Amino acid sequence: MEIPILQDIVIILGLSIVIILVFQKLKLPAILGFLLAGIIAGPHAFNLISSQHEVELLSEIGIIFLLFVIGIELSLKGLASIKKIIFLGGGLQVGGTILITAAISYFIGLPMNTSIFLGFLFSLSSTAIVLKLLQERGEISTPHGKIGLGILIFQDIIVVPMMLFTPLLAGETPNIISTIIIMALKILLVLVIVYILARFVAPKIFGWVVKTKNQELFILTVVVFCFSVAWLTSTVGLSLALGAFFAGLIISESDYSHQATANVLPFREIFISFFFVSVGTLLNLEFFFSNLLNIFLLVVGVILLKMLVVGITVLILKYPVRTVFLALFSLFQVGEFSLLLSNVGKDSAIIPENIYQYFLAISIITMGVTPFLISAAPKITYSLLKAPIPPAVRKRLENIKKSSKAEEEFSEENLHDHLVLIGYGINGSNISKAARKAEIPYVIIDANPESFEKAKNGGEPIIFGDATQATILKHAHIQEARVIVIAISDPGATRKMLTSIRQFTQTATIIVRTKYVKDMEDAIRLGADEVVPEEFETSIEIFTRVLKKYLVPFDEIQEFINQIRSSDYEMLTSMKKSPHSPALQHLNIPNREIVTLKVQRDNHQIVGKTIEDSGIGKNYHVTLLAIQRNRKYLTEISPGTMIEQGDLLYLFGHPNNINHLNNLLSF
């Protein structure tokens, strides 16, 4: 039985692999590769795709997962902190773009309804591309990242009213007021449900699921939450993507959000590729090459117009000039929801076919140049800020300061030069205590629910998640850590962690705890700097205490331990006879011993007298090294030190002399 969609998936992904491999060599963004794959496979080129509608559905799933991950990383508290950007910034950007676009379009001779509708289309930016790029660059939490996120959220919300107004622009006369009121009530109901789920339902459900320690059940629960809330919003007329964003917000309130992100990311990467491919399939190559100059001029005009509006919006929000430039270089393109809205306008005859094709070309080109401009934005911004401008203008720009409140909204504790501790068992908890006492900044990663709860209740900085996954390591700022300790007992997981960690940092010191010496070689080969095998470290600790009891000097004990460790414990694993260690030579001094004697007899010649009066040195020719009395040690021995019954004497001397003294002190 032939399944057309399966054939299309193989063609799309296979073609994408070839193109992206070439693009990687040329250091071009993968997004461009997917767009090119769509253009090649589309109906206007080689027409390789037979199930266009199904491909579009797959692309919709990709956008759902993208917005879901963004929602997880933001949280309800984070969303509340940028409400000013969402409503004021988003309103100014969308309203300003619509107003200017409509005025220009009407001025060049287009009908008023078409002009306003084009304003709708050009006011929207690409949530899928911008947030994906900002997330990959780690800039979602930066001021310009928050601005982009807030404005994009407003754009996703405003799409619904735009669709409601489209029939009115087409000359139809629905009861628009009652429709808007009903829609507002539905949105309010959805927000209430989201709040209840986030505060009371999701944390408990995920708590129960995590305690089962079943990864498949956890992934299934995450995906069900994502699609359930997306379906809920779609039933009330909102977009699926906005619902997925709300689902992410719900899970963000639980302690397991980082692991949820790690589990969803592979799905997102696969499905989001279908979105970019489906966009590429829309481009009419014949029209594109026939009107290349006009399209180029329109692209430049749209980019400059959108940059102007975004720049003014961010200035009104009172952000520094640097943030203004970084924000306008992020939101200049035409978005995916514009493509959806354009189909509605085309079906309603608001925009003719030729304008629709111009719009498609502008959309795809602006999406295609987005990765380049976002990547180059910091350098361009630096150059613009250093450019010669009138002193009065520069002074005015420098005086634009962000309020302290806005500064606080985006402050985020960024770990730097810290300790990352993987595993919160006995060793992990002891290391964290030592780090806290030494005032070393640290963060813990653990995927065991019991350990996580224990650490959380103890006020530890802990992330729930699997440290073999790159997403979890990013949350711990692994690339900025000075020391990483892997304190778990799973050799397979340890090997995966070492491989993942070394992809982020080559400078951090990695210390690995392993159960057996046989695992040391693999760990060092994969990037560990130091490996501590549990089985022989226990032996070393015991033997160290034995040597101390034999009064071996501390520096010689350390030398002995260092010899064992520097040879990777070969001394303990080898069965061959080795030369006697110089560190232990003193234990066999000819005709001399170091012993302990208990003062049990109340001998009036010694007990109650000073060392000098007792004649221990003069009469018995032994040296008193120390005295243990009532579990305390007297180490500063002088001729005036008293000897009491019950003392434990540490003596050095000839065996015969020590035996003679022992007869006087014992029963």
Side-chain angles (χ1 to χ4, degrees):
M1 180 180 176
E2 188 176 347
I3 305 174
I5 183 62
L6 184 59
Q7 177 184 321
D8 290 344
I9 290 173
V10 172
I11 292 171
I12 289 170
L13 296 182
L15 187 60
S16 299
I17 289 171
V18 174
I19 294 173
I20 292 172
L21 278 173
V22 175
F23 275 36
Q24 286 292 105
K25 293 288 185 181
L26 300 174
K27 296 184 178 180
L28 295 174
I31 289 173
L32 289 182
F34 288 122
L35 289 172
L36 180 58
I39 292 171
I40 293 172
H44 303 290
F46 293 97
N47 197 22
L48 302 176
I49 299 175
S50 59
S51 305
Q52 181 72 30
H53 178 67
E54 286 78 1
V55 172
E56 290 174 359
L57 289 177
L58 293 176
S59 70
E60 187 73 24
I61 294 174
I63 297 174
I64 287 172
F65 279 127
L66 174 67
L67 269 294
F68 177 64
V69 171
I70 298 300
I72 288 177
E73 295 192 343
L74 186 61
S75 82
L76 286 171
K77 184 178 179 182
L79 185 62
S81 71
I82 61 170
K83 58 182 180 295
K84 183 178 178 182
I85 297 174
I86 294 174
F87 296 107
L88 178 58
L92 288 172
Q93 185 272 326
V94 171
T97 307
I98 292 173
L99 187 63
I100 297 174
T101 303
I104 294 173
S105 300
Y106 186 72
F107 178 76
I108 63 175
L110 293 177
M112 179 58 72
N113 63 341
T114 303
S115 301
I116 295 173
F117 189 74
L118 287 175
F120 287 177
L121 298 181
F122 290 128
S123 68
L124 305 176
S125 304
S126 177
T127 303
I129 295 177
V130 174
L131 293 189
K132 186 176 189 295
L133 292 172
L134 290 177
Q135 190 180 47
E136 288 175 351
R137 294 168 60 85
E139 296 177 358
I140 286 288
S141 298
T142 60
H144 68 276
K146 294 284 188 178
I147 291 168
L149 178 61
I151 290 176
L152 288 168
I153 289 171
F154 182 85
Q155 291 178 1
D156 290 349
I157 294 172
I158 205 67
V159 167
V160 177
M162 286 179 178
M163 286 187 174
L164 294 176
F165 274 103
T166 300
L168 189 65
L169 293 174
E172 302 173 12
T173 55
N175 192 341
I176 195 72
I177 302 298
S178 63
T179 305
I180 291 175
I181 292 173
I182 293 171
M183 181 58 65
L185 292 174
K186 288 180 179 179
I187 293 173
L188 183 62
L189 177 62
V190 169
L191 292 176
V192 171
I193 293 173
V194 167
Y195 178 79
I196 293 171
L197 289 173
R199 289 296 302 273
F200 306 109
V201 179
K204 288 187 178 180
I205 290 177
F206 277 94
W208 296 333
V209 170
V210 165
K211 286 177 182 177
T212 66
K213 300 182 182 180
N214 187 315
Q215 187 177 10
E216 290 81 6
L217 180 60
F218 184 85
I219 295 173
L220 183 62
T221 306
V222 170
V223 174
V224 168
F225 252 92
C226 174
F227 284 102
S228 296
V229 181
W231 170 76
L232 174 66
T233 57
S234 69
T235 58
V236 298
L238 296 172
S239 69
L240 288 167
L242 192 61
F245 178 76
F246 286 151
L249 290 177
I250 292 170
I251 294 180
S252 72
E253 297 303 305
S254 74
D255 295 316
Y256 314 108
S257 57
H258 298 313
Q259 185 61 40
T261 303
N263 288 333
V264 166
L265 278 180
F267 297 107
R268 187 199 71 175
E269 296 303 322
I270 290 293
F271 285 106
I272 199 67
S273 63
F274 286 101
F275 163 73
F276 298 118
V277 170
S278 67
V279 170
T281 61
L282 299 174
L283 185 65
N284 187 327
L285 292 177
E286 183 181 350
F287 180 87
F288 178 80
F289 288 112
S290 300
N291 300 276
L292 194 58
L293 180 60
N294 291 338
I295 290 172
F296 174 76
L297 293 174
L298 287 170
V299 166
V300 173
V302 169
I303 290 176
L304 292 177
L305 168 62
K306 295 199 71 173
M307 283 185 171
L308 175 65
V309 175
V310 172
I312 293 172
T313 298
V314 181
L315 281 173
I316 291 173
L317 292 172
K318 296 185 178 180
Y319 279 90
V321 180
R322 182 177 183 277
T323 303
V324 172
F325 282 119
L326 291 174
L328 63 85
F329 279 116
S330 300
L331 299 171
F332 63 85
Q333 72 292 122
V334 180
E336 58 275 356
F337 288 118
S338 296
L339 297 172
L340 178 65
L341 192 60
S342 67
N343 287 326
V344 178
K346 182 183 175 185
D347 294 340
S348 302
I350 299 176
I351 53 174
E353 179 63 28
N354 66 324
I355 293 180
Y356 175 72
Q357 286 299 328
Y358 274 118
F359 164 75
L360 284 179
I362 293 168
S363 302
I364 292 171
I365 293 173
T366 55
M367 287 181 183
V369 299
T370 298
F372 296 105
L373 285 183
I374 287 182
S375 178
K379 291 183 179 179
I380 298 174
T381 299
Y382 178 80
S383 301
L384 290 173
L385 292 176
K386 293 296 180 182
I389 59 176
V393 176
R394 180 175 293 278
K395 184 176 180 181
R396 184 180 294 274
L397 291 174
E398 289 176 350
N399 286 335
I400 299 175
K401 298 294 182 182
K402 185 167 59 174
S403 66
S404 58
K405 181 179 179 182
E407 188 74 43
E408 292 172 3
E409 286 177 355
F410 303 110
S411 63
E412 179 178 326
E413 183 183 357
N414 289 318
L415 289 165
H416 177 70
D417 200 36
H418 58 295
L419 163 68
V420 176
L421 177 56
I422 300 172
Y424 193 72
I426 295 173
N427 290 308
S429 61
N430 289 336
I431 294 169
S432 69
K433 289 174 186 174
R436 193 186 311 117
K437 191 166 185 178
E439 297 184 350
I440 296 171
Y442 67 98
V443 63
I444 304 164
I445 302 174
D446 202 302
N448 184 292
E450 289 81 9
S451 300
F452 174 76
E453 286 298 327
K454 177 184 173 185
K456 184 185 171 189
N457 294 335
E460 296 281 17
I462 187 166
I463 295 170
F464 179 85
D466 182 355
T468 64
Q469 296 176 323
T471 306
I472 302 299
L473 296 176
K474 284 181 183 177
H475 282 294
H477 294 253
I478 202 82
Q479 70 277 7
E480 299 180 60
R482 182 190 292 195
V483 180
I484 300 155
V485 176
I486 303 177
I488 62 173
S489 300
D490 185 341
T494 298
R495 288 192 289 269
K496 290 179 183 177
M497 289 175 193
L498 285 168
T499 303
S500 297
I501 290 168
R502 281 306 182 204
Q503 290 176 354
F504 287 97
T505 175
Q506 294 295 323
T507 57
T509 299
I510 303 178
I511 302 172
V512 174
R513 167 215 171 190
T514 183
K515 204 163 187 179
Y516 305 110
V517 172
K518 64 183 176 64
D519 297 323
M520 288 182 61
E521 186 178 344
D522 266 356
I524 292 172
R525 178 176 56 81
L526 292 171
D529 295 287
E530 297 182 33
V531 183
V532 182
E534 191 176 297
E535 59 177 345
F536 282 141
E537 280 300 317
T538 303
S539 302
I540 288 174
E541 181 61 28
I542 293 171
F543 194 56
T544 298
R545 297 189 184 192
V546 171
L547 294 180
K548 286 179 181 177
K549 290 301 178 184
Y550 278 96
L551 306 178
V552 178
F554 178 77
D555 59 339
E556 294 186 11
I557 294 175
Q558 285 301 117
E559 182 183 349
F560 178 63
I561 293 170
N562 291 338
Q563 284 179 8
I564 295 175
R565 288 176 175 158
S566 64
S567 64
D568 291 340
Y569 304 87
E570 185 180 355
M571 186 183 297
L572 298 182
T573 59
S574 176
M575 298 300 293
K576 298 177 182 177
K577 290 185 179 180
S578 56
H580 191 62
S581 172
L584 304 178
Q585 289 288 346
H586 68 287
L587 294 177
N588 190 27
I589 301 175
N591 298 320
R592 292 292 183 274
E593 288 183 351
I594 299 175
V595 299
T596 58
L597 295 181
K598 184 84 169 179
V599 181
Q600 301 181 67
R601 181 184 292 181
D602 189 7
N603 188 305
H604 65 278
Q605 297 179 15
I606 295 176
V607 176
K609 294 184 179 292
T610 64
I611 292 174
E612 184 177 21
D613 293 340
S614 68
I616 285 181
K618 182 173 59 176
N619 299 331
Y620 302 101
H621 305 290
V622 296
T623 303
L624 181 62
L625 302 175
I627 299 174
Q628 182 183 349
R629 180 179 298 160
N630 298 325
R631 297 190 177 183
K632 294 182 180 179
Y633 288 89
L634 305 178
T635 54
E636 296 182 2
I637 305 298
S638 68
T641 301
M642 298 287 293
I643 299 175
E644 299 178 3
Q645 188 174 359
D647 283 352
L648 185 66
L649 308 181
Y650 289 78
L651 301 168
F652 173 77
H654 193 281
N656 293 336
N657 295 334
I658 291 174
N659 285 334
H660 186 198
L661 180 61
N662 185 42
N663 292 332
L664 295 175
L665 299 176
S666 303
F667 289 104

